[in-house]
Amino acid sequence: MAQTLLSIQVIPKTPNGEDSIPYVDRAIEVIQKSGVKYQVNPLETTLEGELPELLEVVRQMHEVLIEAGSPSVISQIKIAHYPSGISMEGLTEKYRP
């Protein structure tokens, strides 16, 4: 079982003040290609795995956004680390119909 949940909201600055959603889409593509378990939500995406692996995905997300032309990126990140194991389902199953 994974030991870490990491939720991230990327806030890329756009070069000419255009919509940031295409940039966010590129960041999500990095997550999709990473192979980690994830869930996209309206305001953030949650990843499940081991902390070093998840932090590497965050680093790659920032690199892709800068390469795409974003002059800067701010990310809000929440990390839940449980050495005994944690999962998205385990935290939310009691709220599902």
Side-chain angles (χ1 to χ4, degrees), residues 37-77:
K37 186 173 183 176
Y38 69 95
Q39 180 176 317
V40 176
N41 298 298
L43 299 176
E44 66 185 13
T45 299
T46 301
L47 293 75
E48 183 177 297
E50 303 308 319
L51 185 57
E53 173 185 38
L54 300 181
L55 292 174
E56 174 61 18
V57 173
V58 170
R59 186 192 65 75
Q60 291 174 12
M61 291 168 69
H62 277 245
E63 282 188 5
V64 162
L65 292 172
I66 298 300
E67 290 169 4
S70 178
S72 64
V73 181
I74 295 173
S75 288
Q76 294 187 5
I77 298 173

Side-chain angles (χ1 to χ4, degrees), residues 1-5 48-50 80-88 90-91:
M1 176 180 276
Q3 292 185 340
T4 306
L5 296 179
E48 183 177 297
E50 303 308 319
H81 182 76
Y82 288 75
S84 61
I86 188 170
S87 70
M88 289 183 274
L91 288 181

Side-chain angles (χ1 to χ4, degrees), residues 7 9 22 28 31 37 42 55 64 67 78 92:
S7 290
Q9 176 189 30
I28 292 171
I31 297 169
K37 186 173 183 176
L55 292 174
V64 162
E67 290 169 4
K78 293 180 268 184
T92 60

Side-chain angles (χ1 to χ4, degrees), residues 6-19:
L6 182 148
S7 290
I8 183 167
Q9 176 189 30
V10 292
I11 307 165
K13 185 173 184 180
T14 57
N16 301 304
E18 66 266 31
D19 186 10

